[in-house]
Short mmCIF file of all heavy atoms in Angstrom, two decimals:
data_model
loop_
_atom_site.label_atom_id
_atom_site.label_comp_id
_atom_site.label_asym_id
_atom_site.label_seq_id
_atom_site.Cartn_x
_atom_site.Cartn_y
_atom_site.Cartn_z
N MET A 1 37.21 25.25 9.20
CA MET A 1 36.69 26.63 9.22
C MET A 1 35.19 26.61 9.50
O MET A 1 34.46 25.84 8.89
CB MET A 1 36.98 27.28 7.85
CG MET A 1 36.54 28.71 7.79
SD MET A 1 36.94 29.48 6.21
CE MET A 1 35.64 28.88 5.15
N SER A 2 34.77 27.44 10.40
CA SER A 2 33.32 27.55 10.61
C SER A 2 32.84 28.87 10.00
O SER A 2 33.53 29.86 10.02
CB SER A 2 33.00 27.55 12.10
OG SER A 2 31.66 27.94 12.29
N LEU A 3 31.65 28.79 9.42
CA LEU A 3 31.11 30.00 8.78
C LEU A 3 30.18 30.76 9.70
O LEU A 3 29.59 31.77 9.31
CB LEU A 3 30.33 29.59 7.51
CG LEU A 3 31.18 28.99 6.40
CD1 LEU A 3 30.27 28.64 5.24
CD2 LEU A 3 32.29 29.90 5.96
N LYS A 4 30.02 30.26 10.91
CA LYS A 4 29.05 30.88 11.81
C LYS A 4 29.32 32.36 12.00
O LYS A 4 30.43 32.75 12.32
CB LYS A 4 29.06 30.17 13.17
CG LYS A 4 27.77 29.42 13.34
CD LYS A 4 27.65 28.61 14.56
CE LYS A 4 26.63 27.53 14.21
NZ LYS A 4 26.98 26.20 14.62
N GLU A 5 28.32 33.16 11.76
CA GLU A 5 28.43 34.61 11.94
C GLU A 5 29.50 35.27 11.07
O GLU A 5 30.02 36.32 11.38
CB GLU A 5 28.68 34.99 13.43
CG GLU A 5 27.80 34.33 14.43
CD GLU A 5 26.32 34.68 14.29
OE1 GLU A 5 26.04 35.82 13.85
OE2 GLU A 5 25.47 33.82 14.59
N PHE A 7 29.21 35.91 7.73
CA PHE A 7 28.72 36.70 6.58
C PHE A 7 28.05 37.99 7.00
O PHE A 7 27.33 38.03 8.03
CB PHE A 7 27.72 35.87 5.76
CG PHE A 7 28.32 34.63 5.20
CD1 PHE A 7 27.80 33.36 5.52
CD2 PHE A 7 29.41 34.70 4.35
CE1 PHE A 7 28.37 32.22 5.00
CE2 PHE A 7 29.99 33.53 3.84
CZ PHE A 7 29.47 32.29 4.17
N LYS A 8 28.28 39.03 6.23
CA LYS A 8 27.61 40.30 6.52
C LYS A 8 26.19 40.21 6.01
O LYS A 8 25.90 39.59 4.98
CB LYS A 8 28.32 41.40 5.77
CG LYS A 8 29.72 41.64 6.30
CD LYS A 8 30.45 42.74 5.51
CE LYS A 8 31.86 42.89 6.02
NZ LYS A 8 32.71 41.68 5.72
N LYS A 9 25.28 40.81 6.77
CA LYS A 9 23.88 40.78 6.36
C LYS A 9 23.59 41.93 5.38
O LYS A 9 24.14 43.03 5.52
CB LYS A 9 22.99 40.94 7.59
CG LYS A 9 23.10 39.78 8.57
CD LYS A 9 22.53 38.49 8.01
CE LYS A 9 22.79 37.32 8.96
NZ LYS A 9 22.65 36.01 8.35
N THR A 10 22.73 41.63 4.45
CA THR A 10 22.38 42.62 3.44
C THR A 10 21.36 43.63 3.98
O THR A 10 20.49 43.27 4.74
CB THR A 10 21.72 41.90 2.24
OG1 THR A 10 22.48 40.75 1.94
CG2 THR A 10 21.63 42.78 1.04
N TYR A 12 18.32 45.40 2.74
CA TYR A 12 17.50 45.17 1.55
C TYR A 12 16.93 46.45 0.99
O TYR A 12 16.34 47.26 1.68
CB TYR A 12 16.37 44.18 1.86
CG TYR A 12 16.91 42.81 2.06
CD1 TYR A 12 17.00 42.23 3.32
CD2 TYR A 12 17.33 42.07 0.96
CE1 TYR A 12 17.50 40.96 3.50
CE2 TYR A 12 17.84 40.81 1.12
CZ TYR A 12 17.91 40.25 2.40
OH TYR A 12 18.38 39.00 2.53
N ILE A 13 17.07 46.59 -0.32
CA ILE A 13 16.37 47.65 -1.05
C ILE A 13 15.28 46.94 -1.80
O ILE A 13 15.53 46.07 -2.62
CB ILE A 13 17.30 48.36 -2.05
CG1 ILE A 13 18.56 48.85 -1.34
CG2 ILE A 13 16.53 49.47 -2.74
CD1 ILE A 13 19.66 49.30 -2.32
N SER A 14 14.06 47.26 -1.46
CA SER A 14 12.96 46.60 -2.14
C SER A 14 12.79 47.22 -3.51
O SER A 14 12.68 48.43 -3.65
CB SER A 14 11.69 46.73 -1.33
OG SER A 14 10.70 45.91 -1.91
N ILE A 15 12.79 46.38 -4.54
CA ILE A 15 12.80 46.92 -5.91
C ILE A 15 11.51 46.56 -6.61
O ILE A 15 11.14 45.39 -6.71
CB ILE A 15 14.02 46.36 -6.70
CG1 ILE A 15 15.32 46.79 -6.00
CG2 ILE A 15 13.98 46.83 -8.11
CD1 ILE A 15 16.50 45.99 -6.37
N GLU A 16 10.82 47.57 -7.07
CA GLU A 16 9.63 47.37 -7.88
C GLU A 16 10.03 46.55 -9.09
O GLU A 16 10.96 46.89 -9.82
CB GLU A 16 9.08 48.75 -8.29
CG GLU A 16 7.73 48.71 -8.96
CD GLU A 16 6.61 48.72 -7.92
OE1 GLU A 16 6.88 48.85 -6.70
OE2 GLU A 16 5.47 48.58 -8.33
N ARG A 17 9.31 45.44 -9.35
CA ARG A 17 9.78 44.50 -10.35
C ARG A 17 9.96 45.04 -11.76
O ARG A 17 10.95 44.81 -12.40
CB ARG A 17 8.87 43.28 -10.39
CG ARG A 17 8.86 42.49 -9.13
CD ARG A 17 10.19 41.80 -8.86
NE ARG A 17 10.15 41.09 -7.61
CZ ARG A 17 10.81 41.46 -6.51
NH1 ARG A 17 11.61 42.51 -6.54
NH2 ARG A 17 10.70 40.77 -5.42
N ASN A 18 8.98 45.79 -12.22
CA ASN A 18 9.08 46.22 -13.61
C ASN A 18 9.69 47.59 -13.79
O ASN A 18 9.94 48.02 -14.90
CB ASN A 18 7.68 46.15 -14.27
CG ASN A 18 7.39 44.73 -14.70
OD1 ASN A 18 8.32 43.93 -14.87
ND2 ASN A 18 6.12 44.42 -14.85
N LYS A 33 8.52 52.97 -3.02
CA LYS A 33 7.72 52.11 -3.86
C LYS A 33 7.56 50.68 -3.28
O LYS A 33 7.06 49.81 -3.93
CB LYS A 33 8.34 51.99 -5.26
CG LYS A 33 8.26 53.27 -6.03
CD LYS A 33 8.85 53.04 -7.41
CE LYS A 33 8.83 54.31 -8.24
NZ LYS A 33 9.60 54.10 -9.48
N MET A 35 6.38 47.37 -1.51
CA MET A 35 5.05 46.77 -1.64
C MET A 35 4.11 47.18 -0.52
O MET A 35 4.53 47.40 0.62
CB MET A 35 5.18 45.24 -1.67
CG MET A 35 5.96 44.70 -0.49
SD MET A 35 6.14 42.95 -0.62
CE MET A 35 4.48 42.44 -0.34
N THR A 37 1.49 46.66 2.47
CA THR A 37 1.44 45.59 3.46
C THR A 37 0.34 44.58 3.11
O THR A 37 -0.69 44.94 2.55
CB THR A 37 1.14 46.16 4.88
OG1 THR A 37 0.15 47.15 4.73
CG2 THR A 37 2.38 46.75 5.51
N MET A 38 0.59 43.34 3.43
CA MET A 38 -0.33 42.30 3.02
C MET A 38 -1.59 42.34 3.88
O MET A 38 -1.55 42.67 5.03
CB MET A 38 0.32 40.93 3.16
CG MET A 38 1.37 40.75 2.11
SD MET A 38 1.99 39.10 2.00
CE MET A 38 0.60 38.12 1.82
N GLU A 41 -6.00 38.41 5.92
CA GLU A 41 -6.46 37.08 5.57
C GLU A 41 -5.54 36.34 4.62
O GLU A 41 -5.66 35.15 4.39
CB GLU A 41 -7.89 37.12 5.04
CG GLU A 41 -8.06 37.73 3.68
CD GLU A 41 -8.43 39.21 3.75
OE1 GLU A 41 -8.04 39.89 4.73
OE2 GLU A 41 -9.11 39.67 2.84
N GLU A 42 -4.64 37.11 4.01
CA GLU A 42 -3.74 36.45 3.05
C GLU A 42 -2.47 35.90 3.71
O GLU A 42 -1.67 35.26 3.07
CB GLU A 42 -3.37 37.42 1.94
CG GLU A 42 -4.49 37.57 0.92
CD GLU A 42 -4.18 38.63 -0.11
OE1 GLU A 42 -3.07 39.16 -0.13
OE2 GLU A 42 -5.10 38.96 -0.86
N THR A 43 -2.34 36.21 4.99
CA THR A 43 -1.15 35.71 5.67
C THR A 43 -1.12 34.20 5.63
O THR A 43 -2.10 33.55 6.00
CB THR A 43 -1.16 36.18 7.14
OG1 THR A 43 -1.39 37.55 7.15
CG2 THR A 43 0.15 35.85 7.82
N PRO A 44 -0.03 33.63 5.13
CA PRO A 44 0.02 32.17 5.07
C PRO A 44 -0.16 31.52 6.45
O PRO A 44 0.39 32.01 7.43
CB PRO A 44 1.44 31.89 4.56
CG PRO A 44 1.84 33.14 3.84
CD PRO A 44 1.17 34.25 4.60
N ALA A 45 -0.93 30.47 6.49
CA ALA A 45 -1.13 29.75 7.75
C ALA A 45 -1.52 28.34 7.39
O ALA A 45 -2.18 28.09 6.37
CB ALA A 45 -2.24 30.42 8.55
N VAL A 46 -1.15 27.39 8.22
CA VAL A 46 -1.56 26.00 8.05
C VAL A 46 -2.97 25.90 8.61
O VAL A 46 -3.14 26.12 9.80
CB VAL A 46 -0.60 25.04 8.76
CG1 VAL A 46 -1.03 23.60 8.55
CG2 VAL A 46 0.83 25.23 8.25
N PRO A 47 -3.97 25.61 7.78
CA PRO A 47 -5.35 25.57 8.29
C PRO A 47 -5.50 24.50 9.39
O PRO A 47 -4.87 23.45 9.31
CB PRO A 47 -6.19 25.22 7.07
CG PRO A 47 -5.31 25.41 5.89
CD PRO A 47 -3.90 25.29 6.34
N MET A 50 -5.53 20.43 9.03
CA MET A 50 -4.93 19.97 7.78
C MET A 50 -4.02 18.76 8.02
O MET A 50 -3.87 17.88 7.16
CB MET A 50 -4.10 21.11 7.16
CG MET A 50 -3.60 20.79 5.79
SD MET A 50 -3.05 22.32 4.99
CE MET A 50 -1.68 21.72 4.04
N PHE A 51 -3.42 18.73 9.20
CA PHE A 51 -2.60 17.58 9.58
C PHE A 51 -3.12 17.03 10.89
O PHE A 51 -3.67 17.75 11.72
CB PHE A 51 -1.13 18.01 9.79
CG PHE A 51 -0.47 18.43 8.52
CD1 PHE A 51 -0.37 19.76 8.17
CD2 PHE A 51 0.10 17.49 7.66
CE1 PHE A 51 0.27 20.16 7.01
CE2 PHE A 51 0.71 17.85 6.49
CZ PHE A 51 0.82 19.20 6.16
N GLN A 59 3.49 10.14 14.21
CA GLN A 59 3.88 10.82 12.98
C GLN A 59 2.74 11.78 12.56
O GLN A 59 1.57 11.50 12.82
CB GLN A 59 4.11 9.81 11.86
CG GLN A 59 5.26 8.91 12.11
CD GLN A 59 6.51 9.38 11.38
OE1 GLN A 59 6.62 10.52 10.94
NE2 GLN A 59 7.45 8.48 11.19
N THR A 60 3.10 12.83 11.87
CA THR A 60 2.10 13.75 11.39
C THR A 60 1.56 13.26 10.03
O THR A 60 2.33 12.87 9.17
CB THR A 60 2.71 15.13 11.20
OG1 THR A 60 3.45 15.43 12.37
CG2 THR A 60 1.66 16.17 10.96
N TYR A 62 -1.13 13.91 6.73
CA TYR A 62 -1.97 14.82 5.99
C TYR A 62 -3.40 14.31 6.07
O TYR A 62 -3.69 13.15 5.71
CB TYR A 62 -1.49 14.82 4.54
CG TYR A 62 -2.12 15.84 3.61
CD1 TYR A 62 -2.55 17.09 4.07
CD2 TYR A 62 -2.28 15.55 2.27
CE1 TYR A 62 -3.09 17.99 3.18
CE2 TYR A 62 -2.83 16.46 1.38
CZ TYR A 62 -3.24 17.69 1.86
OH TYR A 62 -3.79 18.57 0.99
N GLU A 64 -6.05 14.61 4.48
CA GLU A 64 -6.66 14.10 3.27
C GLU A 64 -6.18 12.66 2.98
O GLU A 64 -6.96 11.81 2.57
CB GLU A 64 -6.27 15.03 2.09
CG GLU A 64 -7.36 15.25 1.11
CD GLU A 64 -7.01 16.37 0.14
OE1 GLU A 64 -6.29 16.06 -0.85
OE2 GLU A 64 -7.43 17.50 0.39
N ASP A 65 -4.89 12.40 3.21
CA ASP A 65 -4.34 11.06 3.02
C ASP A 65 -5.05 10.09 3.98
O ASP A 65 -5.34 8.97 3.63
CB ASP A 65 -2.85 11.03 3.34
CG ASP A 65 -2.02 11.69 2.24
OD1 ASP A 65 -2.60 11.96 1.17
OD2 ASP A 65 -0.82 11.92 2.45
N MET B 1 4.45 41.28 -4.82
CA MET B 1 5.88 41.13 -4.54
C MET B 1 6.13 40.45 -3.19
O MET B 1 5.47 40.76 -2.22
CB MET B 1 6.53 42.54 -4.49
CG MET B 1 6.92 43.03 -5.87
SD MET B 1 7.42 44.75 -5.82
CE MET B 1 8.82 44.68 -4.75
N PHE B 2 7.03 39.51 -3.22
CA PHE B 2 7.33 38.78 -1.98
C PHE B 2 8.34 39.56 -1.16
O PHE B 2 9.27 40.14 -1.68
CB PHE B 2 7.91 37.40 -2.28
CG PHE B 2 7.00 36.52 -3.10
CD1 PHE B 2 7.46 35.87 -4.22
CD2 PHE B 2 5.66 36.38 -2.73
CE1 PHE B 2 6.64 35.05 -4.95
CE2 PHE B 2 4.83 35.57 -3.45
CZ PHE B 2 5.32 34.90 -4.60
N LYS B 3 8.13 39.54 0.18
CA LYS B 3 9.11 40.14 1.06
C LYS B 3 10.07 39.08 1.62
O LYS B 3 11.19 39.35 1.98
CB LYS B 3 8.39 40.83 2.24
CG LYS B 3 7.90 42.21 1.85
CD LYS B 3 7.72 43.08 3.07
CE LYS B 3 6.40 42.77 3.75
NZ LYS B 3 6.02 43.75 4.77
N ARG B 22 18.29 37.78 -2.57
CA ARG B 22 18.95 38.97 -1.99
C ARG B 22 19.08 40.06 -3.06
O ARG B 22 18.88 41.25 -2.79
CB ARG B 22 20.33 38.58 -1.49
CG ARG B 22 20.26 37.56 -0.41
CD ARG B 22 21.57 37.42 0.27
NE ARG B 22 21.34 37.46 1.68
CZ ARG B 22 22.32 37.39 2.58
NH1 ARG B 22 23.57 37.26 2.19
NH2 ARG B 22 22.05 37.42 3.85
N GLU B 23 19.44 39.62 -4.26
CA GLU B 23 19.61 40.61 -5.32
C GLU B 23 18.28 41.32 -5.61
O GLU B 23 18.24 42.47 -6.04
CB GLU B 23 20.13 39.95 -6.59
CG GLU B 23 21.58 39.53 -6.49
CD GLU B 23 22.03 38.60 -7.60
OE1 GLU B 23 21.44 38.68 -8.71
OE2 GLU B 23 22.95 37.80 -7.36
N MET B 24 17.19 40.59 -5.36
CA MET B 24 15.88 41.20 -5.61
C MET B 24 15.35 41.92 -4.39
O MET B 24 14.22 42.42 -4.41
CB MET B 24 14.87 40.07 -6.00
CG MET B 24 15.21 39.38 -7.28
SD MET B 24 14.10 38.00 -7.59
CE MET B 24 12.71 38.82 -8.36
N GLY B 25 16.11 41.94 -3.33
CA GLY B 25 15.64 42.62 -2.09
C GLY B 25 14.64 41.78 -1.32
O GLY B 25 13.80 42.36 -0.62
N ILE B 26 14.72 40.48 -1.43
CA ILE B 26 13.80 39.60 -0.72
C ILE B 26 14.56 38.88 0.41
O ILE B 26 15.65 38.38 0.17
CB ILE B 26 13.18 38.55 -1.69
CG1 ILE B 26 12.40 39.27 -2.79
CG2 ILE B 26 12.30 37.57 -0.95
CD1 ILE B 26 11.99 38.37 -3.95
N GLN B 27 13.94 38.86 1.57
CA GLN B 27 14.58 38.14 2.69
C GLN B 27 14.42 36.65 2.50
O GLN B 27 13.52 36.18 1.80
CB GLN B 27 13.92 38.55 3.99
CG GLN B 27 14.17 40.02 4.34
CD GLN B 27 13.58 40.35 5.68
OE1 GLN B 27 13.80 39.64 6.65
NE2 GLN B 27 12.80 41.42 5.74
N ASP B 38 25.92 23.32 9.77
CA ASP B 38 27.05 24.13 9.31
C ASP B 38 27.05 24.40 7.82
O ASP B 38 28.01 24.96 7.28
CB ASP B 38 28.40 23.43 9.70
CG ASP B 38 28.55 23.35 11.19
OD1 ASP B 38 28.07 24.30 11.88
OD2 ASP B 38 29.14 22.38 11.68
N LEU B 40 26.42 25.87 4.10
CA LEU B 40 26.49 27.22 3.62
C LEU B 40 25.11 27.87 3.54
O LEU B 40 24.92 29.02 3.95
CB LEU B 40 27.19 27.24 2.25
CG LEU B 40 27.46 28.61 1.64
CD1 LEU B 40 28.30 29.47 2.59
CD2 LEU B 40 28.19 28.48 0.29
N GLN B 43 23.92 29.07 6.86
CA GLN B 43 24.62 30.25 7.36
C GLN B 43 24.36 31.52 6.56
O GLN B 43 24.41 32.62 7.10
CB GLN B 43 26.15 29.97 7.36
CG GLN B 43 26.55 28.86 8.29
CD GLN B 43 26.08 29.04 9.73
OE1 GLN B 43 26.05 30.17 10.22
NE2 GLN B 43 25.67 27.95 10.37
N LEU B 44 24.03 31.30 5.31
CA LEU B 44 23.89 32.45 4.41
C LEU B 44 22.52 33.14 4.52
O LEU B 44 22.41 34.35 4.33
CB LEU B 44 24.12 31.96 2.98
CG LEU B 44 24.62 32.94 1.94
CD1 LEU B 44 25.90 33.62 2.43
CD2 LEU B 44 24.93 32.17 0.65
N ALA B 45 21.49 32.38 4.80
CA ALA B 45 20.13 32.92 4.79
C ALA B 45 19.94 33.87 5.98
O ALA B 45 20.66 33.81 6.95
CB ALA B 45 19.11 31.79 4.85
N ASP B 46 18.92 34.72 5.89
CA ASP B 46 18.63 35.65 6.96
C ASP B 46 18.14 34.92 8.22
O ASP B 46 18.44 35.32 9.32
CB ASP B 46 17.57 36.68 6.52
CG ASP B 46 18.11 37.53 5.36
OD1 ASP B 46 19.20 38.04 5.48
OD2 ASP B 46 17.42 37.63 4.33
N GLU B 64 4.99 18.72 6.37
CA GLU B 64 4.33 19.43 7.50
C GLU B 64 5.30 20.38 8.18
O GLU B 64 5.01 21.53 8.45
CB GLU B 64 3.79 18.40 8.49
CG GLU B 64 2.93 18.98 9.57
CD GLU B 64 3.69 19.11 10.88
OE1 GLU B 64 4.67 18.38 11.08
OE2 GLU B 64 3.30 19.96 11.69
N LEU B 67 6.04 23.44 5.95
CA LEU B 67 4.93 24.39 5.96
C LEU B 67 4.89 25.17 7.27
O LEU B 67 4.70 26.38 7.30
CB LEU B 67 3.59 23.66 5.73
CG LEU B 67 3.39 23.01 4.36
CD1 LEU B 67 2.12 22.19 4.32
CD2 LEU B 67 3.36 24.08 3.26
N SER B 68 5.12 24.44 8.39
CA SER B 68 5.15 25.13 9.68
C SER B 68 6.29 26.15 9.75
O SER B 68 6.09 27.24 10.26
CB SER B 68 5.37 24.12 10.83
OG SER B 68 4.38 23.13 10.77
N THR B 71 5.18 29.26 7.86
CA THR B 71 4.22 30.14 8.54
C THR B 71 4.83 30.76 9.79
O THR B 71 4.58 31.91 10.11
CB THR B 71 2.91 29.39 8.89
OG1 THR B 71 3.25 28.23 9.64
CG2 THR B 71 2.18 28.96 7.66
N ALA B 75 7.06 33.70 6.04
CA ALA B 75 7.45 33.77 4.63
C ALA B 75 6.19 33.61 3.81
O ALA B 75 5.22 32.99 4.22
CB ALA B 75 8.45 32.66 4.34
N GLU B 76 6.22 34.20 2.60
CA GLU B 76 5.00 34.17 1.80
C GLU B 76 5.08 33.13 0.67
O GLU B 76 4.09 32.79 0.07
CB GLU B 76 4.79 35.54 1.09
CG GLU B 76 4.76 36.68 2.07
CD GLU B 76 5.59 37.86 1.55
OE1 GLU B 76 5.08 38.59 0.68
OE2 GLU B 76 6.73 38.01 1.97
N LYS B 90 1.34 16.84 -4.36
CA LYS B 90 0.61 16.92 -3.07
C LYS B 90 1.13 18.08 -2.24
O LYS B 90 0.35 18.79 -1.61
CB LYS B 90 0.81 15.59 -2.31
CG LYS B 90 -0.12 15.49 -1.13
CD LYS B 90 0.16 14.28 -0.29
CE LYS B 90 -0.36 13.00 -0.89
NZ LYS B 90 -0.01 11.83 -0.09
N GLU B 93 -0.27 21.25 -3.52
CA GLU B 93 -1.65 21.36 -3.08
C GLU B 93 -1.74 21.90 -1.62
O GLU B 93 -2.53 22.75 -1.33
CB GLU B 93 -2.23 19.94 -3.12
CG GLU B 93 -3.62 19.81 -3.60
CD GLU B 93 -3.96 18.32 -3.63
OE1 GLU B 93 -4.34 17.76 -2.58
OE2 GLU B 93 -3.79 17.73 -4.71
N MET B 94 -0.85 21.35 -0.79
CA MET B 94 -0.82 21.81 0.60
C MET B 94 -0.47 23.28 0.67
O MET B 94 -1.09 24.03 1.45
CB MET B 94 0.21 21.00 1.39
CG MET B 94 -0.18 19.56 1.64
SD MET B 94 1.15 18.79 2.59
CE MET B 94 0.62 17.07 2.54
N LYS B 97 -3.42 25.32 -0.05
CA LYS B 97 -4.34 25.36 1.09
C LYS B 97 -3.87 26.30 2.19
O LYS B 97 -4.67 26.90 2.91
CB LYS B 97 -4.50 23.96 1.69
CG LYS B 97 -5.43 23.08 0.88
CD LYS B 97 -5.73 21.80 1.63
CE LYS B 97 -6.57 20.87 0.82
NZ LYS B 97 -6.63 19.55 1.39
N CYS B 98 -2.56 26.41 2.32
CA CYS B 98 -1.99 27.28 3.39
C CYS B 98 -1.79 28.71 2.90
O CYS B 98 -1.20 29.52 3.61
CB CYS B 98 -0.68 26.72 3.87
SG CYS B 98 -0.84 25.11 4.65
N LYS B 99 -2.21 28.97 1.66
CA LYS B 99 -2.02 30.30 1.05
C LYS B 99 -0.55 30.69 0.96
O LYS B 99 -0.18 31.84 1.16
CB LYS B 99 -2.82 31.37 1.82
CG LYS B 99 -4.34 31.11 1.77
CD LYS B 99 -5.07 32.40 2.11
CE LYS B 99 -6.56 32.28 1.85
NZ LYS B 99 -7.21 31.33 2.81
N ILE B 100 0.27 29.67 0.76
CA ILE B 100 1.70 29.94 0.55
C ILE B 100 1.92 29.82 -0.96
O ILE B 100 1.44 28.88 -1.59
CB ILE B 100 2.57 28.89 1.30
CG1 ILE B 100 2.34 28.98 2.77
CG2 ILE B 100 4.04 29.04 0.91
CD1 ILE B 100 2.87 27.81 3.57
N ARG B 314 9.62 36.19 -10.18
CA ARG B 314 8.76 37.22 -10.78
C ARG B 314 7.45 36.60 -11.29
O ARG B 314 6.37 37.17 -11.07
CB ARG B 314 9.45 37.85 -11.99
CG ARG B 314 10.63 38.75 -11.68
CD ARG B 314 11.40 39.09 -12.99
NE ARG B 314 10.43 39.48 -14.02
CZ ARG B 314 10.06 40.74 -14.24
NH1 ARG B 314 10.64 41.72 -13.56
NH2 ARG B 314 9.16 41.04 -15.17
N GLU B 317 5.13 35.89 -8.56
CA GLU B 317 4.54 37.13 -8.03
C GLU B 317 3.42 37.63 -8.92
O GLU B 317 2.68 38.54 -8.56
CB GLU B 317 5.61 38.21 -7.92
CG GLU B 317 6.56 38.01 -6.75
CD GLU B 317 7.73 39.01 -6.78
OE1 GLU B 317 8.02 39.52 -7.88
OE2 GLU B 317 8.27 39.28 -5.70
N GLU B 319 4.01 38.70 -12.13
CA GLU B 319 4.53 39.64 -13.10
C GLU B 319 4.51 39.04 -14.50
O GLU B 319 4.48 37.83 -14.67
CB GLU B 319 5.99 40.01 -12.75
CG GLU B 319 6.15 40.67 -11.41
CD GLU B 319 5.65 42.10 -11.41
OE1 GLU B 319 5.56 42.72 -12.47
OE2 GLU B 319 5.34 42.59 -10.29
N TYR B 373 33.05 24.54 1.26
CA TYR B 373 34.13 25.47 1.62
C TYR B 373 35.17 24.69 2.45
O TYR B 373 34.93 23.52 2.77
CB TYR B 373 33.54 26.64 2.47
CG TYR B 373 32.73 26.17 3.68
CD1 TYR B 373 33.36 25.88 4.89
CD2 TYR B 373 31.35 26.00 3.60
CE1 TYR B 373 32.64 25.44 5.99
CE2 TYR B 373 30.61 25.55 4.68
CZ TYR B 373 31.25 25.27 5.86
OH TYR B 373 30.55 24.82 6.96
N ASN B 374 36.27 25.34 2.70
CA ASN B 374 37.34 24.67 3.45
C ASN B 374 36.81 24.20 4.81
O ASN B 374 36.22 24.97 5.55
CB ASN B 374 38.50 25.64 3.69
CG ASN B 374 39.60 25.40 2.68
OD1 ASN B 374 39.85 24.26 2.31
ND2 ASN B 374 40.23 26.47 2.22
N GLY B 375 37.01 22.92 5.11
CA GLY B 375 36.60 22.39 6.42
C GLY B 375 35.19 21.89 6.40
O GLY B 375 34.71 21.34 7.41
#
Side-chain angles (χ1 to χ4, degrees):
Chain A
M1 183 177 79
S2 168
L3 295 180
K4 250 177 204 135
E5 312 296 330
F7 300 120
K8 294 178 183 67
K9 297 290 175 198
T10 315
Y12 288 105
I13 306 167
S14 189
I15 299 161
E16 189 85 5
R17 294 293 177 251
N18 279 338
K33 291 182 181 172
M35 53 183 291
T37 42
M38 289 190 54
E41 70 265 29
E42 282 174 9
T43 310
V46 180
M50 186 165 147
F51 293 97
Q59 294 260 19
T60 312
Y62 187 33
E64 219 169 82
D65 286 348
Chain B
M1 275 172 62
F2 300 131
K3 279 203 279 191
R22 299 192 132 180
E23 288 167 28
M24 296 173 85
I26 299 169
Q27 294 183 50
D38 293 328
L40 186 56
Q43 298 304 324
L44 206 53
D46 296 310
E64 188 258 336
L67 294 173
S68 304
T71 55
E76 306 136 80
K90 191 188 282 177
E93 219 176 84
M94 289 181 189
K97 281 190 185 168
C98 296
K99 297 199 170 69
I100 296 167
R314 289 170 48 92
E317 285 173 336
E319 299 286 339
Y373 54 86
N374 261 323

